[in-house]
Amino acid sequence: QSALTQPRSVSGSPGQSVAISCTGTSSDVGGYNYVSWYQQHPGKAPKLMIYDVSKRPSGVPDRFSGSKSGNTASLTISGLQAEDEADYYCCSYAGNPYVFGTGTKVTVL
Amino acid sequence: EVQLVESGGGLVQPGGSLRLSCVVSGFTFSSHWMSWVRQAPGKGLEWVANIDQNGNEKYYVDSMKGRFTISRDNAKNSVYLQMNSLRVEDTAVYYCAKYSGYDLDYWGQGTLVTVSS
């Protein structure tokens, strides 16, 4: 039940694209198409941004997209906006329990 | 409107116990798995436990097995986390969250548990 590995931080200018990787194993990310991504602003509860690897909940802008290849999932934010500055966490089903990623801070320059 | 409201956090000495509660509204509680997730100060999210719709299936992260117990009361639209033998490293904000499929689509605002002498 080791945490999934994410980069500590990524940054980009407004309008640019950034990608966040989430690396696990064949027992979690690679074994199931149940990766979700959460956005968390300081002092706030997490918010679901992507589920089932690449699906967007209603209300989430389409500049957020998800994908997976092998044991690594990715979240891409296209057309970066100031309000996207936050912490992002991936999460994978691992046959119960679930496992979260280490978290990535996205900075908008 | 979906709402999840946690309570029961506070200051407790090492070795002590606390019971967290989460009251929900705005959805059919008895139809959904529920989960507790925690976040230590300045740290990342950590999945704690989940429970099925009827309270029959329960799963825990290994480090909390035997110390934490998740339960629910569908008549009261509530999910609970009984925490025993608390350690300093259990200090965190504890969130309850609702499952939709294999993801957590709604979260409460969290309740802070501080374990300190």
Side-chain angles (χ1 to χ4, degrees), chain A residues 1 34 38 40 45 48 96-97, chain B residues 39 47 50 61-62 103-104 108:
Chain A
Q1 295 171 359
Y34 298 129
Y38 301 88
Q40 187 180 35
L48 178 66
N96 267 318
Chain B
Q39 187 170 35
W47 187 88
N50 65 3
V61 69
D62 283 348
D103 55 86
L104 298 167

Side-chain angles (χ1 to χ4, degrees), chain A:
Chain A
Q1 295 171 359
S2 298
L4 308 175
T5 301
Q6 298 180 232
R8 288 187 67 90
S9 64
V10 298
S11 61
S13 299
Q16 288 186 328
S17 294
V18 296
I20 303 168
S21 60
C22 169
T23 301
T25 70
S26 58
S27 296
D28 38 62
V29 174
Y32 307 93
N33 288 322
Y34 298 129
V35 176
S36 50
W37 289 89
Y38 301 88
Q39 177 192 65
Q40 187 180 35
H41 288 107
K44 300 295 187 181
K47 175 187 175 184
L48 178 66
M49 304 301 285
I50 295 289
Y51 67 100
D52 293 354
V53 175
S54 60
K55 298 176 182 176
R56 263 189 323 275
S58 174
V60 171
D62 60 7
R63 63 179 184 274
F64 290 88
S65 62
S67 62
K68 191 187 86 166
S69 178
N71 295 338
T72 299
S74 297
L75 173 72
T76 300
I77 309 174
S78 306
L80 200 60
Q81 298 187 8
E83 60 263 33
D84 300 333
E85 184 162 295
D87 294 324
Y88 291 81
Y89 296 90
C90 61
C91 182
S92 177
Y93 178 68
N96 267 318
Y98 287 65
V99 60
F100 278 97
T102 50
T104 298
K105 180 174 182 57
V106 171
T107 301
V108 181
L109 301 172

Side-chain angles (χ1 to χ4, degrees), chain B residues 29-97:
Chain B
F29 178 67
S30 59
S31 296
H32 293 272
W33 283 69
M34 297 293 295
S35 184
W36 287 94
V37 175
R38 72 180 184 181
Q39 187 170 35
K43 302 297 184 182
L45 300 174
E46 181 179 25
W47 187 88
V48 173
N50 65 3
I51 186 168
D52 76 345
Q53 295 91 331
N54 300 312
N56 295 327
E57 290 187 58
K58 306 174 185 182
Y59 299 95
Y60 304 88
V61 69
D62 283 348
S63 60
M64 294 164 218
K65 283 180 184 175
R67 297 194 302 125
F68 289 11
T69 302
I70 189 171
S71 62
R72 66 190 294 161
D73 185 337
N74 287 345
K76 295 183 177 180
N77 278 5
S78 295
V79 60
Y80 308 100
L81 187 68
Q82 177 68 43
M83 304 186 295
N84 299 330
S85 303
L86 283 163
R87 307 166 181 167
V88 171
E89 54 266 35
D90 293 319
T91 294
V93 173
Y94 285 74
Y95 295 99
C96 74

Side-chain angles (χ1 to χ4, degrees), chain B residues 94-114:
Chain B
Y94 285 74
Y95 295 99
C96 74
K98 163 189 169 288
Y99 275 97
S100 174
Y102 292 84
D103 55 86
L104 298 167
D105 63 344
Y106 287 94
W107 298 60
Q109 286 304 302
T111 187
L112 176 63
V113 172
T114 302

